């Protein structure tokens, strides 16, 4: 028995080291299309790499925007800043509450916002968040929160990507990565917003769907609200405009609204702002610049109204 | 609890530790630990059905004890039939009640007497077909005086519920497994290491081969009306490897786990897809069930004695019953009958025992003749699996008729480029798997002897590479084993 335990221990050790080496080699040389459980999407759509590089030098904002790609492509920080509101858009591609929580734990103290605008989109409460977690692991530093997020998702793909990310961090392989600010029809603006040029989009019919919350996403969402309360930061929940064809496909949107309303101030812009599928969107989910131009004054209006409730009735000054 | 779950990965080391470090001095305590662990293992799925196992255990233990002391032949027969009726009664109710009801109603409706009735919403207890047959072997063997009944209720309970093989076999004979519970087990290093190796290979078969093949087998079978012939052929091949990887993978993990506890279970699969004829295939596929039917059904019916028609009748009975054992659906019955049709020419020409040795033993490559026979047998098997997997008979016939159409010569279609890419990866993985199985076909399982004579560092690297393959290509969700439903 003693021999078995000793041999098992040494095999485990050997196996662990070899496994890490194999993951690193495979991650470096084999395209992720051929390794379903290993993906390192550095520099993916939505300029996450640039955004997360930029956020490291940002401090003391008035407003912080978080959420999914809807946040990235809806909150025009460039225009909002012109109104004297110091803000940053920390949205992540496919970001679910689990990823938002990770980012807040990592950057909230440093960004120290008065108001946090959390873009809430029903689908992000229904997924396991693996895709967004992969993006975060590949485009940001690895720390204890990365481990926390990975273990919450319990997915082998994330474990492998975390292993690759750790080695990548140690060897500083990401430091040399360059991401273009203009990629195809997208333009990244300092402050985290990504603009999509106008085009005409033909909507397609979407199957009706029923919103069901995943327990772990709802728990992460509640943890975010608690975290904000403990830091005396005002949360604003915003369901940013999606194409009417997508919005109408949700059967129980009232249920979603009621859940959101029970946690914080909630604005469903799909009810108040009437946009057109073809004119204001470039796909089912995201607005083009024409749509964002309609939406931005509305969000500024809310932020200015909220301003009166912040201490001293002023936001912090924009850095010169 | 699933073998391929985190729960089992925690459960196994705890039971292993308690077994060898806490209860090792007392055989009764060790057996009791097995019973408790087994009930916990089974109850993890649904604790209510534990009462069913307990009831079967009590009935068969009592019948065994009574058979031991009873000399009156009529009374012995009554006792045996009590055990058979109780066990098969449970099996019949949980597994076949709705099937018989539906067919009864259909038959009456056909003759113009429609009956309005509703089936019951019955949950099939996992593994009922396996442990029922195992306990039946106990009472039948005592009745035939091949075995003496045990007085040790704990040992008998451990035999019935032994967790590695409780839910999907191998279906052990009481004559082989029960005596192992009477003897004090000593930890055997070589046996335990071999067990670990077999668990690793079983896990690879299940989570890499079976689960990946399952994705496409399900996609293709579930949408077969929209698929062309070549895609349907691919779907049948995917299912062929899914069911083999799934079931033999389970058996490997079960046997390997038993070895960690000092038990020896029978080999359940012996590289069936390298068979040169259907008779050889059936000597190598689900061996514990085939031999059970041979010993407790085929031979009592007269076996191959008593003339040609007797042989034909008995062959059909055993194959049809074997098909029906898998599930309450006509597809399984047709699958069994089809295999009987494959088997009969060999039996009637006395060629059913031609290929008893491993193919191309001691050689790297088979001869052209061997290869041709292997491919032919494989093709027949794939064809039969279509019935096994189909939802119903008409689905199977539609599936086959599309294969036999001109669309067979089209390029296989997949739902998306991503699916086509993953299917290609699955085919490559399956080819690697078949190659390893071929190289290791003379062992009890493929990697038993591969690399065994190489230096430790080479062996360990090989095993670690298997772990890496598992990690890189396994499906993220814990999918249950196919045979749980049987």
């Amino acid at each position: 028995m003693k021999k078995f335990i000793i041999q098992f221990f040494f095999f485990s050790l050997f196996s662990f080291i070899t496994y890490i080496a194999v993951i690193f080699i495979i991650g470096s040389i084999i395209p992720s299309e051929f390794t379903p459980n290993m993906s390192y999407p550095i520099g993916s759509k939505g300029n996450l790499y640039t955004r997360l590089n930029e956020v490291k030098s940002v401090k003391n904002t008035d407003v912080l925007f978080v959420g999914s790609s809807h946040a990235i492509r809806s909150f025009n920080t460039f225009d909002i800043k012109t109104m004297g509101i110091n803000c940053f858009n920390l949205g992540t591609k496919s970001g679910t509450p689990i990823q938002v929580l990770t980012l807040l734990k990592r950057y909230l103290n440093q960004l120290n916002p008065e108001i946090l605008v959390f873009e809430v989109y029903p689908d992000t409460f229904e997924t396991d968040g693996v895709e967004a977690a992969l993006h975060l692991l590949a485009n940001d530093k690895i720390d204890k929160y990365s481990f926390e997020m990975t273990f919450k998702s319990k997915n082998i793909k994330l474990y492998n990507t975390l292993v690759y990310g750790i080695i990548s961090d140690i060897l500083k392989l990401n430091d040399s990565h360059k991401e273009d600010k203009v990629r195809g029809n997208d333009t990244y603006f300092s402050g985290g917003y990504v603009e999509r040029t106008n085009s005409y989009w033909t909507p397609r019919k979407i199957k009706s769907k029923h919103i069901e919350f995943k327990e772990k996403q709802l728990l992460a969402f509640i943890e975010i609200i608690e975290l904000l309360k403990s830091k005396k930061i005002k949360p604003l929940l915003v369901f940013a405009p999606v194409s009417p064809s997508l919005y109408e496909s949700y059967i129980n949107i009232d249920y979603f609204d009621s859940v959101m309303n029970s946690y914080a101030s909630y604005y469903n812009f799909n009810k108040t702002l009437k946009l057109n599928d073809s004119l204001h969107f470039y796909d089912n989910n995201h607005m083009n610049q024409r749509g964002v131009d309609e939406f931005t004054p509305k969000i500024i209006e809310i932020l200015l109204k909220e301003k009166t409730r912040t201490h001293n009735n002023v936001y912090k000054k924009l850095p010169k | 609890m699933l073998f391929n779950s985190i729960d089992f990965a925690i459960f196994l080391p705890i039971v292993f530790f308690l077994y060898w470090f806490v209860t090792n001095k007392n055989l009764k305590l060790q057996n009791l630990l097995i019973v408790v662990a087994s009930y916990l293992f089974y109850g993890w799925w649904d604790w209510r059905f534990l009462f069913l196992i307990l009831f079967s255990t009590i009935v068969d233990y009592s019948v065994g004890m009574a058979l031991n002391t009873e000399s009156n032949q009529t009374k012995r027969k009554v006792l045996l039939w009590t055990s058979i009726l109780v066990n098969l009664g449970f099996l019949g109710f949980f597994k076949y009640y709705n099937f018989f009801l539906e067919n009864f109603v259909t038959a009456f409706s056909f003759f113009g007497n429609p009956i309005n009735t509703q089936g019951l919403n019955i949950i099939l207890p996992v593994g009922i077909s396996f442990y029922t047959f195992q306990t039946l072997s106990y009472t039948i063997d005592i009745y035939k005086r091949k075995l003496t009944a045990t007085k040790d209720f704990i040992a008998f309970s451990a035999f019935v519920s032994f967790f590695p093989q409780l839910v999907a076999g191998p279906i052990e004979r009481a004559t082989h497994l029960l005596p192992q519970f009477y003897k004090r087990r000593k930890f055997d290093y070589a046996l335990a290491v071999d067990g670990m190796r077999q668990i690793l290979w079983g896990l690879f078969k299940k989570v890499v081969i079976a689960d990946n093949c399952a994705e496409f087998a399900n996609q293709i079978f579930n949408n077969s009306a929209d698929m062309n012939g070549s895609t349907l052929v691919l779907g049948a091949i995917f299912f062929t490897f899914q069911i083999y990887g799934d079931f033999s993978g389970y058996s490997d993990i079960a046997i390997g786990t038993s070895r960690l506890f000092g038990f020896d279970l029978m080999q359940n699969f012996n590289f069936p897809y390298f068979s040169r004829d259907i008779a050889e295939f059936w000597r190598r596929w689900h061996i514990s069930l085939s031999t059970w039917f041979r010993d407790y059904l085929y031979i009592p019916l007269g076996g191959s004695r008593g003339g040609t028609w007797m042989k034909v009748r008995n062959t059909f009975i055993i194959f049809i019953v074997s098909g029906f054992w898998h599930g309450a659906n006509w597809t399984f019955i047709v699958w069994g009958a089809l295999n009987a049709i494959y088997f009969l020419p060999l039996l009637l020409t006395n060629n059913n025992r031609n290929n008893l040795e491993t193919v191309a033993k001691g050689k790297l490559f088979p001869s052209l003749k061997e290869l041709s026979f292997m491919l032919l047998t494989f093709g027949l098997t794939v064809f039969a699996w279509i019935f096994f997997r189909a939802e119903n008979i008409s689905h199977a016939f539609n599936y086959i008729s599309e294969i036999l159409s001109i669309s067979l010569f089209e390029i296989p279609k997949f739902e998306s480029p991503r699916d086509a890419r993953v299917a290609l990866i699955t085919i490559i993985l399956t080819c690697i798997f078949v190659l390893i199985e071929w190289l290791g076909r003379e062992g009890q399982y493929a990697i038993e002897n591969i690399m065994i004579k190489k230096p430790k560092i080479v062996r360990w690297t090989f095993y670690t590479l298997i772990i890496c393959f598992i990690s890189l290509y396994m499906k993220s969700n814990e999918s249950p084993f196919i045979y749980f439903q049987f």
Side-chain angles (χ1 to χ4, degrees):
Chain A
M1 179 58 92
K2 197 175 158 192
K3 187 181 169 192
F4 179 76
I5 290 170
I6 291 169
Q7 289 294 309
F8 185 73
F9 172 76
F10 281 114
F11 173 73
S12 302
L13 195 67
F14 172 85
S15 214
F16 180 70
I17 295 164
T18 314
Y19 176 76
I20 289 172
V22 169
I23 290 293
F24 181 66
I25 293 165
I26 285 177
S28 304
I29 59 171
I30 299 181
S32 60
E33 288 84 358
F34 294 97
T35 50
N37 289 342
M38 164 82 220
S39 173
Y40 198 71
I42 186 165
S44 47
K45 268 187 177 177
N47 290 72
L48 186 59
Y49 181 79
T50 309
R51 183 176 301 103
L52 292 171
N53 258 345
E54 190 186 337
V55 76
K56 290 178 179 70
S57 57
V58 177
K59 281 180 184 157
N60 296 320
T61 55
D62 294 323
V63 179
L64 175 64
F65 298 101
V66 291
S68 65
S69 58
H70 295 109
I72 298 172
R73 294 170 184 279
S74 301
F75 300 120
N76 185 344
T77 48
F78 187 80
D79 281 0
I80 295 170
K81 276 181 185 175
T82 60
M83 301 303 293
I85 301 168
N86 181 13
C87 58
F88 192 82
N89 188 331
L90 197 56
T92 51
K93 189 169 181 276
S94 317
T96 69
I98 293 176
Q99 283 72 50
V100 171
L101 180 63
T102 306
L103 284 170
L104 290 181
K105 282 180 179 173
R106 197 175 279 161
Y107 296 112
L108 193 63
N109 283 344
Q110 167 204 325
L111 295 171
N112 189 28
E114 294 281 346
I115 291 175
L116 183 124
V117 178
F118 187 172
E119 176 270 320
V120 287
Y121 170 54
D123 292 24
T124 60
F125 284 83
E126 296 185 306
T127 65
D128 51 13
V130 171
E131 193 196 340
L134 287 172
H135 287 289
L136 214 50
L137 288 175
N139 290 285
D140 205 359
K141 62 185 175 187
I142 303 287
D143 58 13
K144 62 176 180 176
Y145 304 120
S146 314
F147 281 85
E148 213 175 275
M149 174 181 71
T150 304
F151 292 127
K152 229 175 236 173
S153 293
K154 287 182 188 149
N155 185 292
I156 186 76
K157 196 170 186 173
L158 288 182
Y159 295 136
N160 287 336
T161 305
L162 179 68
V163 168
Y164 186 86
I166 293 168
I167 306 169
S168 200
D169 256 21
I170 293 168
L171 300 177
K172 297 191 186 310
L173 295 179
N174 290 356
D175 292 3
S176 57
H177 183 77
K178 290 268 181 297
E179 194 172 63
D180 293 335
K181 292 203 171 172
V182 179
R183 301 165 85 188
N185 296 326
D186 289 341
T187 307
Y188 177 84
F189 285 90
S190 174
Y193 170 64
V194 175
E195 176 190 292
R196 168 61 69 108
T197 49
N198 292 328
S199 58
Y200 186 87
W201 172 67
T202 313
R204 270 168 290 173
K205 183 142 179 61
I206 302 168
K207 270 190 203 163
S208 300
K209 51 184 171 183
H210 196 267
I211 302 165
E212 272 175 47
F213 288 86
K214 247 199 167 98
E215 194 189 353
K216 62 181 176 183
Q217 296 294 1
L218 194 58
L219 288 174
F221 173 73
I222 294 167
E223 201 178 331
I224 291 167
I225 302 293
E226 295 298 322
L227 176 72
L228 296 175
K229 269 186 196 164
S230 71
K231 296 203 180 282
K232 298 193 167 47
I233 297 166
K234 164 114 184 167
L236 293 182
L237 307 178
V238 171
F239 188 172
V242 293
S243 68
S245 51
L246 173 63
Y247 185 71
E248 281 152 21
S249 70
Y250 295 112
I251 297 166
N252 56 339
I253 203 72
D254 291 344
Y255 166 64
F256 182 76
D257 288 347
S258 69
V259 173
M260 291 299 121
N261 260 322
S262 65
Y263 286 101
S265 304
Y266 171 62
Y267 299 89
N268 182 348
F269 282 96
N270 294 283
K271 280 184 174 167
T272 52
L273 185 65
K274 293 295 164 208
L275 299 177
N276 178 279
D277 277 317
S278 301
L279 283 178
H280 299 111
F281 293 88
Y282 72 85
D283 64 16
N284 272 324
N285 281 274
H286 307 101
M287 287 183 281
N288 59 24
Q289 193 52 36
R290 243 189 324 258
V292 174
D293 288 342
E294 295 279 327
F295 174 61
T296 306
K298 305 285 176 195
I299 198 80
I300 288 173
E301 191 183 312
I302 290 170
L303 292 175
L304 290 176
K305 203 164 72 187
E306 288 295 335
K307 179 179 162 183
T308 57
R309 294 193 201 131
T310 60
H311 55 261
N312 301 328
N313 192 21
V314 282
Y315 283 131
K316 295 153 203 156
K317 295 285 174 228
L318 269 173
K320 286 187 179 167
Chain B
M1 206 180 287
L2 296 173
F3 281 161
N4 53 328
S5 68
I6 300 286
D7 300 335
F8 186 71
I10 297 165
F11 168 85
L12 184 62
I14 293 172
V15 179
F16 181 83
F17 174 81
L18 294 173
Y19 185 84
W20 290 115
F21 292 99
V22 180
T23 61
N24 58 325
K25 299 241 162 68
N26 186 325
L27 182 65
K28 270 210 178 311
L29 214 57
Q30 232 176 13
N31 285 342
L32 185 65
L33 175 70
I34 288 176
V35 176
V36 172
S38 300
Y39 274 57
L40 183 70
F41 177 86
Y42 192 86
W44 211 257
W45 166 68
D46 194 329
W47 61 269
R48 291 168 300 174
F49 292 112
L50 286 174
F51 293 105
L52 213 60
I53 298 180
L54 185 65
F55 186 73
S56 271
T57 308
I58 293 168
V59 168
D60 288 317
Y61 174 79
S62 313
V63 168
M65 291 289 282
L67 278 172
N68 233 14
T69 49
E70 186 58 63
S71 53
N72 181 306
Q73 196 51 30
T74 315
K75 284 183 182 169
R76 283 176 64 81
K77 247 187 193 149
V78 170
L79 284 167
L80 175 68
W81 278 103
T82 306
S83 165
I84 292 173
L85 288 175
V86 167
N87 284 301
L88 294 185
F90 279 138
L91 187 62
F93 174 73
F94 283 104
K95 199 164 173 175
Y96 301 107
Y97 176 83
N98 282 335
F99 174 79
F100 282 117
L101 188 74
E102 279 165 24
N103 282 283
F104 182 72
V105 170
T106 311
F108 267 78
S109 305
F110 182 76
F111 291 111
N113 298 307
I115 297 174
N116 276 330
T117 179
Q118 231 180 345
L120 297 176
N121 190 14
I122 300 169
I123 304 170
L124 181 69
V126 167
I128 189 167
S129 311
F130 291 90
Y131 69 76
T132 298
F133 273 44
Q134 184 155 310
T135 51
L136 273 178
S137 85
Y138 172 76
T139 41
I140 297 172
D141 283 349
I142 296 172
Y143 175 78
K144 288 182 172 173
R145 300 187 199 280
K146 282 185 186 168
L147 183 75
T148 314
T150 180
K151 287 177 187 161
D152 186 345
F153 183 71
I154 300 292
F156 182 69
S157 300
F159 158 74
V160 176
S161 64
F162 189 39
F163 73 87
Q165 45 92 242
L166 171 63
V167 287
I171 302 165
E172 277 294 333
R173 304 303 163 73
T175 44
H176 179 237
L177 183 59
L178 189 56
Q180 295 183 50
F181 286 98
Y182 305 152
K183 280 188 294 184
R184 195 158 166 204
R185 274 86 62 181
K186 266 174 63 183
F187 184 80
D188 182 332
Y189 173 77
L191 194 69
V193 170
D194 200 38
M196 294 290 283
R197 224 179 351 241
Q198 195 161 1
I199 291 172
L200 179 65
W201 188 240
L203 210 54
F204 175 83
K205 280 175 172 177
K206 164 63 184 161
V207 300
V208 177
I209 302 302
D211 288 353
N212 278 296
C213 285
E215 182 182 345
F216 295 102
N218 292 340
Q219 201 182 93
I220 294 168
F221 271 89
N222 294 345
N223 303 291
S224 58
D226 307 326
M227 302 285 179
N228 62 25
S230 58
T231 314
L232 295 179
V233 169
L234 212 52
I237 294 173
F238 276 129
F239 180 70
T240 301
F241 283 102
Q242 179 200 350
I243 194 156
Y244 174 62
D246 194 283
F247 194 19
S248 73
Y250 184 93
S251 296
D252 280 338
I253 301 171
I255 296 166
T257 306
S258 304
R259 287 185 174 174
L260 287 178
F261 292 90
F263 286 90
D264 171 50
L265 297 187
M266 71 183 294
Q267 190 180 5
N268 213 15
F269 288 86
N270 191 8
F271 310 97
Y273 291 154
F274 299 139
S275 302
R276 286 150 289 182
D277 59 48
I278 284 294
E280 187 185 6
F281 175 83
W282 280 104
R283 278 194 297 276
R284 293 171 178 274
W285 178 273
H286 201 176
I287 301 165
S288 64
L289 182 72
S290 314
T291 51
W292 198 100
F293 278 124
R294 182 198 62 202
D295 295 345
Y296 298 108
L297 187 65
Y298 186 69
I299 292 172
L301 283 171
S304 43
R305 289 164 288 141
T308 308
W309 286 114
M310 197 73 144
K311 273 187 201 176
V312 173
R313 187 201 71 172
N314 292 347
T315 302
F316 265 98
I317 288 175
I318 191 174
F319 274 106
I320 287 171
V321 171
S322 168
F324 199 46
W325 175 89
H326 285 86
N329 194 328
W330 284 101
T331 52
F332 295 119
I333 295 171
V334 172
W335 171 75
L338 190 59
N339 274 285
I341 293 168
Y342 290 164
F343 186 80
L344 270 182
L346 295 168
L347 183 73
L348 297 176
T349 54
N350 277 330
N351 283 317
N352 58 318
R353 297 189 68 78
N354 282 354
N355 299 307
L356 298 175
E357 284 280 340
T358 305
V359 61
K361 196 171 181 184
K363 294 180 198 159
L364 188 58
F365 298 108
S367 68
L368 206 58
K369 188 182 163 195
E370 284 169 330
L371 183 67
S372 322
F373 282 123
M374 276 197 296
L375 288 175
L376 177 68
T377 310
F378 182 75
L380 291 172
T381 314
V382 172
F383 183 76
W385 286 131
I386 294 173
F387 286 94
F388 193 94
R389 174 60 181 79
E391 294 301 318
N392 49 53
I393 297 292
S394 72
H395 181 208
F397 279 116
N398 289 338
Y399 196 102
I400 292 162
S401 66
E402 190 58 41
I403 286 179
L404 299 175
S405 72
I406 193 76
S407 70
L408 178 66
F409 302 101
E410 291 174 5
I411 295 167
K413 276 196 303 195
F414 289 94
E415 279 177 6
S416 65
R418 179 253 165 210
D419 280 353
R421 196 177 59 236
V422 179
L424 179 68
I425 295 169
T426 306
I427 291 169
I428 294 169
L429 288 170
T430 309
C431 290
I432 295 171
F433 165 68
V434 171
L435 183 71
I436 295 174
E437 287 263 301
W438 174 259
L439 294 174
R441 71 194 180 284
E442 288 179 42
Q444 293 254 324
Y445 57 95
I447 62 165
E448 184 184 17
N449 299 319
I450 293 178
M451 305 273 171
I452 209 77
K453 287 180 184 154
K454 301 277 184 221
K456 187 181 273 180
I457 187 90
V458 178
R459 269 189 346 255
W460 281 13
T461 307
F462 176 63
Y463 303 140
T464 305
L465 284 177
I466 295 176
I467 294 172
C468 291
F469 263 95
I470 290 174
S471 153
L472 286 168
Y473 293 102
M474 71 184 279
K475 291 280 165 204
S476 295
N477 50 336
E478 293 164 359
S479 55
F481 290 84
I482 296 179
Y483 266 67
F484 279 15
Q485 62 186 294
F486 304 140

